[in-house]
Amino acid sequence: MSSPAFSLKKLHTFAIETRAEKIVYAETPQEILAAWRECHQRNLPFLLLGEGSNVLFLEAFSGVIVVNRIKGIAITESIDCWHLEVGAGENWHGLVTYTLQQNIAGLENLALIPGCVGSSPIQNIGAYGVEIKDICEWVEILELESGQIKRLTAAECQFGYRDSIFKHRLQHGYAIVSVGFSLPKQWQPVMSYGDLTKMDAATVTPQQIFDAVCHMRRSKLPDPALTGNAGSFFKNPVITAEQAASLLATFPAAPHYPQSNGDVKLAAGWLIDQCQLKGYRLGGAAVHQQQALVLINAEEASAADVVALAHEIRQRVGKKFNVWLEPEVRFIGADGEKNAVEVIS
Ligand code: FAD
Ligand code: EPU
């Protein structure tokens, strides 16, 4: 079989050369459906993509990549809230800046997160004290088998830390086509994280929070336009209170965040950093100097380099702390998603 024809290098932020049989840019739900039906008929793998900022292509994709470019932002209001209805293919950061320009606050903590609006509910994107679950009102999905569009309430999305129903029961056979957000007119700044805690709640403006978030992010996260990466490569591990007590007895300096159910979230970046892995390089892949949770394409990395590096990190952290990291990044094989933990184990 000849190698697939179309390069994916510019369609994902790791910027690793790989190919697909076909790429379709869909501007409407009908175009997504038509592409899916063609795949179904020809028995070809089908993969939806936003901006490719949370994927690692392990090899050439032997099917059709459908790039979601459904656009549109509509704003309505009720007595208490602004309501946004946003096409899944809108750029996330573009939405954040657009709402701020309209004097609508509430998205500023989530500035500079790469990717599309339609991908935001999938892992319940979050940063600097805010997650999508705090502001999402509904998600509209296209059921590919029936062609019907259905609206899920935020509660039905079952949001959790880097998790939602779209990673489980609704992972296959559905495309997210639009997302609804509800932003209270009575703005409450969220200043619980990092440098934001130093700001004055009485005088702070949404624009100042936006600027501070952009500054913090630019100081530690690599810009994918310059250096290939997919943000945090691993999720922060969540362990039981007993496991946390035992780990903290040996490593009292470990950053830890108690969760509402009694579990404790650890900082994977700190665990990796403690293994002296900042800057560590394997082939063309490396651990980012400023943030050990980010793996970068330092120099023409292959997917195999990234997988080997992730394996090494998981082993070293596991042996030192008995905590076994799991990728946040989604691994895509020739015919669809692979179990990332199995790939790096
Ligand atoms: P893609 O990578 O294109 O897709 C992700 C997954 O969703 C794939 O499995 C894909 O098949 C599926 N998918 C895509 N579109 C659809 C659709 N319409 N319907 C159904 N399935 C679909 N994340 C955070 O939460 N917080 C951060 O602070 C953060 N910072 C980051 C910083 C950097 C520098 C980078 C590179 C990434 C960061 N991320 C962060 C991760 C990433 O931005 C998010 O996961 C984002 O939501 C991915 O959007 P995307 O459009 O690029 O998704
Ligand atoms: N740390 C180190 N060394 C490192 C990295 C981090 O000691 O190399 C320590 C920090 O000093 C801090 C703690 O670990 O005490 C947490 O670090 P940071 O504030 O940078 O956040 P994070 O837990 O590494 C998470 C998200 C990010 C999100 C930030 C800000 C996950 C997996 N990652 O990172 O999301 O932007 O918080 O809220 O939850 C992403 O998902 O791709 C992403 C970038």
Side-chain angles (χ1 to χ4, degrees):
M1 205 175 91
S2 61
S3 68
F6 296 94
S7 172
L8 294 176
K9 190 169 180 178
K10 295 207 165 91
L11 291 181
H12 71 116
T13 60
F14 251 121
I16 292 171
E17 181 54 88
T18 187
R19 307 184 88 73
E21 284 291 335
K22 184 172 173 183
I23 297 168
V24 171
Y25 291 84
E27 294 179 5
T28 62
Q30 292 68 29
E31 287 173 6
I32 294 181
L33 194 57
W36 180 82
R37 286 184 173 149
E38 187 192 334
C39 286
H40 198 61
Q41 269 170 7
R42 296 174 55 202
N43 210 13
L44 282 176
F46 165 93
L47 185 83
L48 275 159
L49 206 58
E51 294 183 10
S53 64
N54 211 28
V55 289
L56 175 67
F57 286 100
L58 299 172
E59 55 199 331
F61 187 71
S62 61
V64 179
I65 301 277
V66 178
V67 183
N68 164 28
R69 290 293 177 262
I70 301 172
K71 299 286 181 165
I73 303 177
I75 302 178
T76 55
E77 62 182 302
S78 56
I79 293 173
D80 303 328
C81 288
W82 298 106
H83 300 276
L84 316 177
E85 183 167 345
V86 188
E90 288 285 346
N91 172 264
W92 175 263
H93 181 71
L95 177 68
V96 176
T97 52
Y98 177 74
T99 50
L100 281 183
Q101 281 160 8
Q102 308 297 311
N103 287 322
I104 295 176
L107 300 184
E108 56 283 347
N109 294 60
L110 300 173
L112 277 189
I113 299 181
C116 288
V117 169
S119 315
S120 66
I122 298 174
Q123 71 158 12
N124 177 26
I125 59 167
Y128 298 96
V130 176
E131 290 180 321
I132 277 292
K133 73 168 173 52
D134 305 324
I135 45 177
C136 177
E137 198 173 358
W138 50 261
V139 176
E140 259 179 13
I141 53 172
L142 168 67
E143 188 179 60
L144 297 165
E145 194 75 53
S146 68
Q148 283 183 349
I149 289 183
K150 297 180 175 174
R151 188 175 276 201
L152 303 178
T153 63
E156 287 171 323
C157 294
Q158 299 174 12
F159 290 123
Y161 166 63
R162 295 293 186 269
D163 201 26
S164 74
I165 196 166
F166 308 108
K167 283 186 164 187
H168 302 281
R169 193 167 66 75
L170 302 187
Q171 184 182 343
H172 299 291
Y174 299 88
I176 294 173
V177 292
S178 62
V179 185
F181 301 94
S182 168
L183 302 173
K185 289 181 178 172
Q186 187 91 43
W187 178 63
Q188 296 282 352
V190 179
M191 308 185 326
S192 54
Y193 201 103
D195 291 353
L196 301 182
T197 55
K198 298 178 202 149
M199 299 178 110
D200 179 357
T203 57
V204 73
T205 65
Q207 186 66 41
Q208 285 169 341
I209 293 190
F210 173 92
D211 291 342
V213 167
C214 290
H215 178 75
M216 281 186 282
R217 294 185 67 97
R218 288 195 173 111
S219 68
K220 52 184 161 184
L221 295 169
D223 177 354
L226 305 174
T227 307
N229 77 94
S232 299
F233 193 86
F234 298 96
K235 289 184 268 194
N236 281 331
V238 180
I239 60 177
T240 64
E242 292 94 302
Q243 288 168 320
S246 146
L247 185 130
L248 288 166
T250 319
F251 303 100
H256 57 287
Y257 316 95
Q259 306 293 290
S260 53
N261 67 354
D263 287 348
V264 177
K265 196 198 273 180
L266 302 173
W270 185 88
L271 299 172
I272 299 168
D273 200 354
Q274 292 300 303
C275 296
Q276 316 305 327
L277 285 167
K278 262 190 187 155
Y280 180 79
R281 189 162 164 171
L282 244 177
V287 178
H288 187 48
Q289 260 315 334
Q290 279 73 41
Q291 225 299 6
L293 192 45
V294 178
L295 305 192
I296 59 168
N297 177 354
E299 196 183 355
E300 294 186 21
S302 65
D305 293 339
V306 179
V307 168
L309 180 60
H311 169 83
E312 182 74 20
I313 293 169
R314 181 173 149 93
Q315 291 302 314
R316 292 225 204 158
V317 169
K319 283 178 187 151
K320 187 172 172 86
F321 297 103
N322 194 26
V323 171
W324 296 89
L325 298 178
E326 298 186 1
E328 175 191 295
V329 173
R330 317 282 296 268
F331 286 20
I332 312 296
D335 51 12
E337 186 163 5
K338 296 269 181 272
N339 181 316
V341 172
E342 282 172 16
V343 173
I344 64 162
S345 289

